[in-house]
Each structure stands twice: as C-alpha cells, then as structure tokens.
Amino acid sequence: MFQKFYPSEYYTSTYVIDFVEYYKKGYRGILFDIDNTLVPHNAPATEEAIRLIHRLKEIGFGICLVSNNKEPRVAEFNKPLDVKYIYKAGKPKRSGYQKAMQLLGTDTTNTLFVGDQLFTDLWGANNTGITSLLVQPIDKKEEIQIILKRIPEKWILHSYLKKHQIVR
C-alpha cells in the first residue's frame, strides 16, 4: 500500500552515503533536494555540502539540485557549488526530475535522487523510476506544512522499517 513512498535505501544522513559504491554500480547522475537534505532549512551552502559536491564531481558524477523553492534561494545556494539546478520543480511531479536528467544527460537507470521528504521527494523520484535515497532531516525545526506531512510519514516509515533498516 505504501510502497510508492518507500525509498530504495534509507540513510541517517546525506553525508554517510557511500557514493563511490553507487558510481561503481553505474550511477552517473545525482539529483539533490536542498533543504534538510544538504543543509538545514533556508541555510546557505555549508563547507560540508561544498566539499561533498566537489568530491562527487571529482568522482565523475553529474549533479543537479531539484528544489521546489524559488530561483533566488536555489541560485544563491548554488553559487559555491556550481552545479545545474531546477527551481520550482513541482515535486512530486515527474517533470522536474525528467528535466534534471535531461540537463545531466542521464536517465532513470543511472540517476539517484537524494531527499528527506516522502510525499514530495521520494514519491516523485519513485514515480519517475529513479533510485530514491531517503535521508533523515538535518534539522527538526521545520515549517508548519512540513511538520504536518511528517505525521503520516511516520506511519509509512514504521511500515518500511519492519522489513528494512536505516543505513548509518
């Protein structure tokens, strides 16, 4: 029943994911949500985020930020990263994910999506056919509309965790 919201993998943080292993498996593009996936909500790019993105580019990944935020937020966040981005992506609609893959020259077989929300990030990635990596939110302080979505997310994650585990 909830499978369309289940991640391919569930991690405690973006920063514990072994991206080298995914590269070895043939993945070449990574789509990232920004807020609470790479940084706390509305925060600028941190040194940790900058180091991660630069390391991923050195490995050989194409990177695209896929955000429902407006362009000023996404463009400013992207300045130290210098990657492709989609703003007002309309997640969970497929169009933002598809546009991002087009920008990277990747497809559903070699693209990862990393995000923190089931009802936008993961549902959209799964519906598009992309490998979806869920991460725990960085910051517990969130906007009210996100807090309200977290309530049913807990039921889905409880169901998921009966058969799967969080990768630490």
Side-chain angles (χ1 to χ4, degrees), residues 97-130:
Y97 301 88
Q98 291 167 334
K99 185 176 178 183
M101 288 187 289
Q102 186 177 28
L103 288 173
L104 295 178
T106 61
D107 59 39
T108 58
T109 66
N110 63 0
T111 304
L112 299 169
F113 181 86
V114 183
D116 70 296
Q117 292 188 53
L118 294 181
F119 297 129
T120 52
D121 298 331
L122 277 282
W123 186 16
N126 290 343
N127 199 31
T128 306
I130 301 171

Side-chain angles (χ1 to χ4, degrees), residues 41 117 119 142-152:
H41 191 74
Q117 292 188 53
F119 297 129
E142 297 179 302
E143 295 174 343
I144 188 66
Q145 72 270 16
I146 297 171
I147 291 169
L148 294 174
K149 285 192 271 184
R150 296 286 187 203
I151 296 167

Side-chain angles (χ1 to χ4, degrees), residues 11 16-28 30 52 55-56 58-61 112:
Y11 292 90
V16 301
I17 299 171
D18 186 350
F19 288 105
V20 171
E21 277 303 308
Y22 284 104
Y23 192 85
K24 288 178 185 175
K25 292 177 182 177
Y27 290 95
R28 294 301 180 260
I30 307 174
L52 173 65
R55 184 172 68 90
L56 294 174
E58 287 174 0
I59 292 169
F61 283 108
L112 299 169

Side-chain angles (χ1 to χ4, degrees), residues 46-121:
T46 60
E47 286 302 317
E48 185 177 36
I50 295 166
R51 278 193 309 272
L52 173 65
I53 298 301
H54 287 206
R55 184 172 68 90
L56 294 174
K57 290 196 288 187
E58 287 174 0
I59 292 169
F61 283 108
I63 309 292
C64 187
L65 306 174
V66 180
S67 176
N68 284 348
N69 279 300
K70 294 177 182 170
E71 187 174 21
R73 162 71 175 134
V74 181
E76 186 63 30
F77 181 84
N78 187 47
K79 280 183 182 176
L81 305 178
D82 190 32
V83 296
K84 297 185 181 329
Y85 66 86
I86 307 288
Y87 63 94
K88 288 189 174 181
K91 296 180 290 185
K93 290 191 249 177
R94 291 182 207 165
S95 57
Y97 301 88
Q98 291 167 334
K99 185 176 178 183
M101 288 187 289
Q102 186 177 28
L103 288 173
L104 295 178
T106 61
D107 59 39
T108 58
T109 66
N110 63 0
T111 304
L112 299 169
F113 181 86
V114 183
D116 70 296
Q117 292 188 53
L118 294 181
F119 297 129
T120 52
D121 298 331

